[in-house]
């Protein structure tokens, strides 16, 4: 036998030994893991340790089993808190002292560089943050309010009767009144009657499938249309359907800015309206191809788009910057407090609801 053959046999033997050792190591590892698992399961069986929590459940479980779970009372209390806040009628007759306090406090928060002057970028940034804060709160509030109202039966739908009963209850009306009241609510304050009428109209717009009941998404469109993707999509389709004269599925500058196809505000001439709409078109036309497509219009209408905050800030500057120095002082803001108190700078919720 030659030396070469001996070396080859030795090399083959070493390789086989190495493979055998690796197999044995893997086998020992798997045996060890199996033993650990068996010991663990033995403890589980002997000590009755649950492998799944019996006390925690998703707050988004709207099924009958979910609402009967152990934390139902906690969810209900949270729902009550948000629902009561949502139904609270805003105090439009707030006294002057309170308005001044709110405006002063907000001015100081928005004045990020602390120089006592509010620049356009500071105001835009503040309004943008208030818009996002409102939209996020609206989503949370919608779930909790829906949960608080969807009780009889709890079927994942809220009927007008359920909502109306809850509305009356939250405004201090007794169970007896709720059960026996007449449809015209004789003796009820006019402000509340008007709120109910507005709610009924909004309900009809939000109900897509069943006019008497709303899903949780439809309920969002009812309470907070500015937060509802379905509402924004509806606005996009309505806008294109109304303005797309050549029916090619996109809007051009002429269609978008035509005063005859749009509602011109009383404080604008048709020419000024056209110029403003052309500016809006150029902002919305992201790829600058002279065509406004659905996805561009959707992003433009979305309240989270920064242009809404910038437009609001420019409007407030126009109303309050009396010396035209491109900054606002607290004195200038207080001189126009009635304008600022209903703006998104102070009350994004009310401002959005007036728009939608």
């Amino acid at each position: 036998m030659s030396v070469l053959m001996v070396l080859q046999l030795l090399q083959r033997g070493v390789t086989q030994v190495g493979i055998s050792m690796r197999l044995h190591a893997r086998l020992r590892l798997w045996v060890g893991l199996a033993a650990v698992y068996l010991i663990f399961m033995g403890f589980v069986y002997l000590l009755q340790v649950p492998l799944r929590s019996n006390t925690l459940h998703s707050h988004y479980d709207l099924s009958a089993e979910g609402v009967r779970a152990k934390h139902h009372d906690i969810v209900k209390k949270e729902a009550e808190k948000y629902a009561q806040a949502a139904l609270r009628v805003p105090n439009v007759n707030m006294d002057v002292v309170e308005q001044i306090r709110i405006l002063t406090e907000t001015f100081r928060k928005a004045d990020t560089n602390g120089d006592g002057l509010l620049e356009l970028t500071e105001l835009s940034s503040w309004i943008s943050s208030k818009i996002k804060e409102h939209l996020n709160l609206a989503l949370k509030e919608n779930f909790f309010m829906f949960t608080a109202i969807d009780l009889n039966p709890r079927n994942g739908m809220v009927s007008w009767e359920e909502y109306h009963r809850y509305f009356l209850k939250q405004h201090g009306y007794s169970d007896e009144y709720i059960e026996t009241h007449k449809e015209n609510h004789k003796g009820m304050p006019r402000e509340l009657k008007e709120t109910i009428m507005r709610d009924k109209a909004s309900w009809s717009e939000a109900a897509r499938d069943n006019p008497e009941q709303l899903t949780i998404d439809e309920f969002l469109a009812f309470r907070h249309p500015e937060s509802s993707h379905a509402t924004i999509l509806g606005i996009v389709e309505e806008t294109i359907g109304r303005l797309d004269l050549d029916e090619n599925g996109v809007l051009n500058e002429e269609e978008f800015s035509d005063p005859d196809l749009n509602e011109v505000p009383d404080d604008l001439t048709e020419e000024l309206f056209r110029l403003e709409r052309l500016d809006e078109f150029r902002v919305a036309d992201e790829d600058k191809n002279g065509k406004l497509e659905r996805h561009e219009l959707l992003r433009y209408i979305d309240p989270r788009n920064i242009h809404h905050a910038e437009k609001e800030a420019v409007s407030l500057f126009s109303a309050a910057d009396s010396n035209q120095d491109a900054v606002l002082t607290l004195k200038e803001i207080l001189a126009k407090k009635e304008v600022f108190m209903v703006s998104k700078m102070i009350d994004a919720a009310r401002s959005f609801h007036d728009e939608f």
Side-chain angles (χ1 to χ4, degrees):
M1 184 180 293
S2 67
V3 175
L4 180 60
M5 292 179 66
V6 171
L7 291 174
Q8 287 176 343
L9 288 172
L10 288 173
Q11 183 179 11
R12 190 176 303 165
V14 169
T15 301
Q16 290 176 348
V17 169
I19 293 172
S20 178
M21 290 177 66
R22 287 196 295 272
L23 288 173
H24 282 296
R26 290 178 183 175
L27 182 60
R28 286 196 297 272
L29 176 61
W30 285 110
V31 170
L33 290 174
V36 170
Y37 177 75
L38 289 173
I39 293 170
F40 171 73
M41 293 303 295
F43 275 113
V44 168
Y45 177 77
L46 291 173
L47 301 177
Q48 298 294 307
V49 178
L51 294 180
R52 189 173 183 178
S53 171
N54 293 321
T55 60
L56 298 179
H57 68 280
S58 170
H59 283 185
Y60 294 89
D61 183 359
L62 297 179
S63 66
E65 293 78 14
V67 299
R68 288 194 206 95
K70 193 170 181 179
H71 283 231
H72 171 64
D73 288 342
I74 297 174
V75 176
K76 185 177 179 181
K77 288 178 182 177
E78 194 74 4
E80 291 285 344
K81 181 182 73 173
Y82 279 95
Q84 288 174 21
L87 287 174
R88 192 176 298 126
V89 177
N91 183 6
V92 295
N93 298 316
M94 188 184 300
D95 63 64
V96 175
V97 174
E98 181 64 8
Q99 291 181 23
I100 292 173
R101 184 194 67 77
I102 291 173
L103 288 169
T104 301
E105 183 179 313
T106 303
F107 179 89
R108 289 170 180 164
K109 290 179 179 178
D111 179 23
T112 52
N113 62 10
D115 64 354
L117 300 170
L118 201 57
E119 300 172 8
L120 185 61
T121 53
E122 289 177 318
L123 184 54
S124 297
S125 179
W126 172 262
I127 292 173
S128 179
S129 70
K130 296 301 289 183
I131 289 174
K132 291 175 182 176
E133 177 186 294
H134 164 69
L135 296 176
N136 291 335
L137 181 60
L139 290 172
K140 182 185 292 187
E141 173 199 285
N142 182 69
F143 166 73
F144 284 117
M145 188 174 183
F146 187 92
T147 304
I149 298 173
D150 178 26
L151 294 175
N152 187 26
R154 185 175 285 278
N155 59 355
M157 303 282 286
V158 164
S159 67
W160 171 257
E161 182 181 354
E162 285 177 314
Y163 172 76
H164 189 53
R165 287 173 62 89
Y166 197 85
F167 179 92
L168 295 175
K169 188 76 172 176
Q170 294 302 316
H171 285 88
Y173 289 90
S174 66
D175 290 336
E176 182 182 358
Y177 176 86
I178 293 172
E179 293 294 339
T180 61
H181 73 84
K182 295 182 178 180
E183 190 173 347
N184 63 0
H185 292 291
K186 186 177 181 180
M188 177 180 284
R190 180 179 176 182
E191 186 179 57
L192 274 185
K193 283 186 179 181
E194 290 175 349
T195 300
I196 292 171
M197 291 172 63
R198 286 195 299 270
D199 280 352
K200 189 64 175 175
S202 299
W203 182 283
S204 299
E205 291 180 10
R208 294 190 294 272
D209 299 322
N210 185 341
E212 294 300 321
Q213 293 184 317
L214 299 182
T215 65
I216 192 168
D217 293 328
E218 291 170 337
F219 194 73
L220 178 63
F222 163 60
R223 290 292 302 167
H224 298 286
E226 72 281 358
S227 299
S228 168
H229 196 67
T231 299
I232 298 172
L233 279 171
I235 294 173
V236 169
E237 293 304 318
E238 185 276 331
T239 301
I240 292 178
R242 177 168 49 85
L243 302 181
D244 185 20
L245 294 180
D246 55 14
E247 298 183 350
N248 64 348
V250 296
L251 300 180
N252 57 41
E253 288 187 351
E254 185 60 32
E255 290 171 331
F256 190 77
S257 63
D258 190 342
D260 294 331
L261 301 177
N262 292 277
E263 185 177 343
V264 180
D266 294 335
D267 59 339
L268 290 179
T269 64
E270 289 191 355
E271 185 57 31
L272 283 176
F273 173 81
R274 185 189 296 275
L275 292 175
E276 285 194 4
R277 292 284 284 183
L278 285 174
D279 288 338
E280 291 181 26
F281 183 94
R282 287 155 193 160
V283 172
D285 182 19
E286 297 172 356
D287 57 11
K288 309 304 177 188
N289 66 348
K291 297 176 182 178
L292 203 54
E293 301 179 42
R294 276 179 170 79
H295 67 274
E296 291 175 318
L297 191 56
L298 181 65
R299 282 196 287 269
Y300 179 77
I301 292 174
D302 187 341
R304 294 179 186 272
N305 192 315
I306 187 63
H307 89 86
H308 292 292
E310 293 171 343
K311 186 176 180 179
E312 177 94 349
V314 169
S315 176
L316 292 174
F317 260 75
S318 176
D321 187 15
S322 55
N323 59 2
Q324 301 293 304
D325 62 350
V327 292
L328 292 179
T329 63
L330 178 57
K331 183 178 179 180
E332 286 176 319
I333 288 178
L334 293 178
K336 294 289 184 178
K337 58 183 178 295
E338 69 283 352
V339 174
F340 283 87
M341 285 302 297
V342 296
S343 73
K344 293 182 180 67
M345 177 184 175
I346 302 296
D347 194 347
R350 181 179 175 188
S351 179
F352 269 127
H353 290 182
D354 288 344
E355 292 174 7
F356 280 81

